[in-house]
Amino acid sequence: MDVDEHAEELASALGVDKAEVRSDLENLLSYSVPIDEAKQSIRRKHGGDGGDATPTTKDVADVTPEDGNVTVTVRVLSVGQRSIQYQGEEQVIREGEFADETGKISYTAWEDFGFEPGDSITVGNAGVREWDGRPELNVGQSSTVAVETTPVETPYEVGGDSDLVSLRSGDRGRNVEVRVLESEERVIDGRDGETTIRSGVVADETGRLPFTDWKARSELREGHDFRFEDVYVREFRGVPQVNLSEFTTVTPLAREVDVDDEAPRMGIAEAVGSGGLFDVELVGNVLEVRDGSGLIERCPECGRVLQNGQCRSHGDVDGEDDMRVKAIVDDGTGTVTAVLDRDLTEELYGGTMDEAMAAARDAMDKEVVADEIRERIVGREYRVRGNLSVDDYGASVEAGEFERSTEEPAARASALLAEVRS
């Protein structure tokens, strides 16, 4: 159902002008207010009770984005807090995960209903929306929360403790214990004007992730170990990012977090299935060097690769010379595009960009550079390390390292066979 259909439904039920309802609805949605909450707000404005039809009682696994309102009996796994803009004003929301024996589901509570991790509750008249392709519960003014005396059985662990490699975009109310590897304070153009934040990279025993501290805590210095309680995770440049809000508790650790200098190695299918990873290592055979590799030109304004001297954003521009490689890597479980910058491309080519441009002039063909790289790497096994992002166009790794694999082929084949069979 689109905005116009929602407005038609509301106007008919409330007996008011459709144009006014549509305007109010679009205004609320522009502030990222969930559609069910927006509709309830409009009903209250016009004297309604904010309610919809009688909600259906469902198990968590049976809740779908097509459900309007549901009632669920669940155990609270985690509770986080965050401040957002709601109808132009600051509002604190609670968010985390509920679970029953059938599954888990994320929630956003627009009021403080007083429940804590471990509580068993029945949530009545919760709205359902889709978030990152999955259903999410919205618990608002028209919802009810009742404590259950009999604990809800669930196979999931209560609490938000997690390691970095397990975090996914959309996670809320998580707790991590990390070492700060990189940290800098900077000023950005935020929703309230210039905002000072602190950002960098944190690590634990399982991996590394970028972080942003919206409170810009000065104690988050490089080489120090902390426990962060109540962080949320959002996608940034295709990979998960740990976000600290004003509600995040930061506690120095007495222990040193054991950080591995090596990136976690994963099969390509597993890595792609994660939806995005920061600093991962993959090993596979190069099947192809894609068009657009070798010598290229970039827009001096935005850095996009030019096509026939044209930038899709800035039109006809004087391009800046660059080099790159886009290599298709396959490990038997899946494929990924490894994107190599100028430095790595020069290493593969075996010469500088100036030397590559001279070779192209001599041959009167830029493709000789890409062809030379193809001859060197296609059909050979390589190890690639970098940041993996997944979008509608596929999976790609912004490579920081790209080297010939030194593993024995027989050992590699046995490992792949065991992975496929597991």
Side-chain angles (χ1 to χ4, degrees), residues 135-147:
E136 177 182 277
L137 297 181
N138 279 280
V139 188
Q141 288 184 346
S142 62
S143 304
T144 60
V145 175
V147 176

Side-chain angles (χ1 to χ4, degrees), residues 109-158:
W110 297 83
E111 297 181 10
D112 184 2
F113 288 90
F115 53 72
E116 298 291 341
D119 289 348
S120 293
I121 59 176
T122 292
V123 182
N125 198 34
V128 185
R129 69 165 179 169
E130 184 174 335
W131 180 260
D132 283 347
R134 300 185 299 271
E136 177 182 277
L137 297 181
N138 279 280
V139 188
Q141 288 184 346
S142 62
S143 304
T144 60
V145 175
V147 176
E148 294 292 325
T149 56
T150 302
V152 174
E153 296 297 329
T154 176
Y156 304 103
E157 185 176 348
V158 172

Side-chain angles (χ1 to χ4, degrees), residues 81-85 90-93 191 232 245-247:
Q81 293 187 83
R82 189 158 55 92
S83 176
I84 65 167
Q85 285 281 344
E90 292 281 331
Q91 177 167 340
V92 176
I93 60 174
R191 68 188 184 193
Y232 63 97
S245 74
E246 67 268 38
F247 300 104

Side-chain angles (χ1 to χ4, degrees), residues 57-358:
T57 299
K58 285 197 167 187
D59 291 332
V60 165
D62 295 330
V63 176
T64 71
E66 288 70 39
D67 291 319
N69 297 74
V70 296
T71 293
V72 293
T73 298
V74 293
R75 194 165 192 187
V76 182
L77 298 186
S78 58
V79 179
Q81 293 187 83
R82 189 158 55 92
S83 176
I84 65 167
Q85 285 281 344
Y86 179 80
Q87 294 183 304
E89 298 181 357
E90 292 281 331
Q91 177 167 340
V92 176
I93 60 174
R94 278 79 181 170
E95 52 188 4
E97 286 186 314
F98 295 147
D100 62 12
E101 62 181 3
T102 70
K104 296 189 293 184
I105 191 167
S106 298
Y107 72 87
T108 297
W110 297 83
E111 297 181 10
D112 184 2
F113 288 90
F115 53 72
E116 298 291 341
D119 289 348
S120 293
I121 59 176
T122 292
V123 182
N125 198 34
V128 185
R129 69 165 179 169
E130 184 174 335
W131 180 260
D132 283 347
R134 300 185 299 271
E136 177 182 277
L137 297 181
N138 279 280
V139 188
Q141 288 184 346
S142 62
S143 304
T144 60
V145 175
V147 176
E148 294 292 325
T149 56
T150 302
V152 174
E153 296 297 329
T154 176
Y156 304 103
E157 185 176 348
V158 172
D161 286 1
S162 178
D163 49 35
L164 292 182
V165 76
S166 300
L167 293 179
R168 297 291 181 266
S169 178
D171 286 347
R172 314 95 180 268
R174 298 296 188 187
N175 311 317
V176 294
E177 295 188 350
V178 296
R179 168 166 290 188
V180 178
L181 298 184
E182 301 174 19
S183 180
E184 66 171 351
E185 189 174 285
R186 55 196 179 94
V187 177
I188 65 169
D189 186 14
R191 68 188 184 193
D192 298 320
E194 288 192 347
T195 302
T196 300
I197 65 169
R198 181 169 289 274
S199 61
V201 176
V202 292
D204 66 6
E205 296 86 347
T206 67
R208 308 172 185 216
L209 282 180
F211 80 91
T212 294
D213 177 16
W214 297 95
K215 195 177 177 182
R217 296 168 175 84
S218 60
E219 65 266 32
L220 299 185
R221 299 186 301 275
E222 296 174 3
H224 292 254
D225 305 285
F226 299 94
R227 177 176 173 84
F228 299 160
E229 295 187 356
D230 192 4
V231 302
Y232 63 97
V233 184
R234 289 289 181 265
E235 181 179 296
F236 179 71
R237 294 180 179 174
V239 300
Q241 179 192 68
V242 177
N243 287 264
L244 288 72
S245 74
E246 67 268 38
F247 300 104
T248 301
T249 301
V250 174
T251 306
L253 287 175
R255 71 178 183 93
E256 290 188 0
V257 175
D258 185 16
V259 175
D260 193 343
D261 290 335
E262 300 298 321
R265 177 176 292 192
M266 302 176 70
I268 291 177
E270 180 186 4
V272 172
S274 73
L277 292 167
F278 183 82
D279 194 23
V280 65
E281 183 177 279
L282 311 171
V283 177
N285 290 307
V286 176
L287 300 185
E288 176 188 355
V289 172
R290 294 177 56 185
D291 292 341
S293 296
L295 291 170
I296 60 172
E297 290 185 326
R298 294 188 182 276
C299 174
E301 297 292 328
C302 65
R304 288 189 173 96
V305 176
L306 303 184
Q307 301 293 333
N308 299 318
Q310 296 284 318
C311 172
R312 67 186 184 190
S313 296
H314 299 96
D316 189 10
V317 296
D318 292 327
E320 297 180 342
D321 293 319
D322 198 5
M323 293 182 76
R324 74 170 180 188
V325 168
K326 298 176 71 176
I328 305 297
V329 179
D330 185 297
D331 71 346
T333 71
T335 61
V336 68
T337 300
V339 182
L340 283 60
D341 64 8
R342 173 178 168 177
D343 290 340
L344 289 175
T345 301
E346 286 179 330
E347 289 181 19
L348 285 185
Y349 177 67
T352 65
M353 187 170 73
D354 288 340
E355 292 170 337
M357 293 176 68

Side-chain angles (χ1 to χ4, degrees), residues 36-63:
D36 290 322
E37 288 294 315
K39 290 168 67 176
Q40 290 167 9
S41 177
I42 292 170
R43 288 191 185 94
R44 289 190 293 272
K45 173 182 175 181
H46 293 281
D49 62 4
D52 278 327
T54 302
T56 303
T57 299
K58 285 197 167 187
D59 291 332
V60 165
D62 295 330
V63 176

